[in-house]
Amino acid sequence: MEARYVAEILVRRGAMPAERLEELVAAASEKHVSLTDLAIAAHVAEEEAVVRALAEELQMEFAAAIQPNDIPQELVDRVPITFARLHHALPIGEWNGTVRVAIANPLDLTPLDDLRVLLARPIHPVAATTEVIED
């Protein structure tokens, strides 16, 4: 998604102050980095607020916590740890043949497509912060 559109979502949803919008959009474009990563790194926005705002905008479930004991070991074993760490994406459960996957960047669909192939099942994304996924 375009940086300005993402910034407007974050401002509209209260995750980022409006007065920082132009500055962050320009910096993200100039540095060729993600606006969300830049806003979090610059302490303009908290990761949870960013992920929650994007999840709400995309009408995606948000997980504030994940219980490791609830994650089926069979799913975890099928996902390489390097993939999970690189993409901050982790299967967290299964329901009616669909795998629920926690993902820290709800805008990045590539890891979800890869997991769909890797697990050979439909995927249902659930937004979560990097910290929640890594824990």
Side-chain angles (χ1 to χ4, degrees), residues 2 4-5 23 42 48 51 84 88 90 92 94-95 98 110 117:
E2 180 183 315
R4 175 167 300 286
Y5 181 66
E23 166 195 348
E48 182 174 336
V51 175
H88 305 291
L90 180 70
I92 58 171
E94 189 172 7
W95 185 74
T98 299
T110 302
V117 171

Side-chain angles (χ1 to χ4, degrees), residues 42-59:
H43 303 289
V44 173
E46 296 292 324
E47 182 186 15
E48 182 174 336
V50 168
V51 175
R52 189 179 291 273
L54 294 174
E56 288 171 1
E57 186 72 19
L58 298 169
Q59 298 178 345

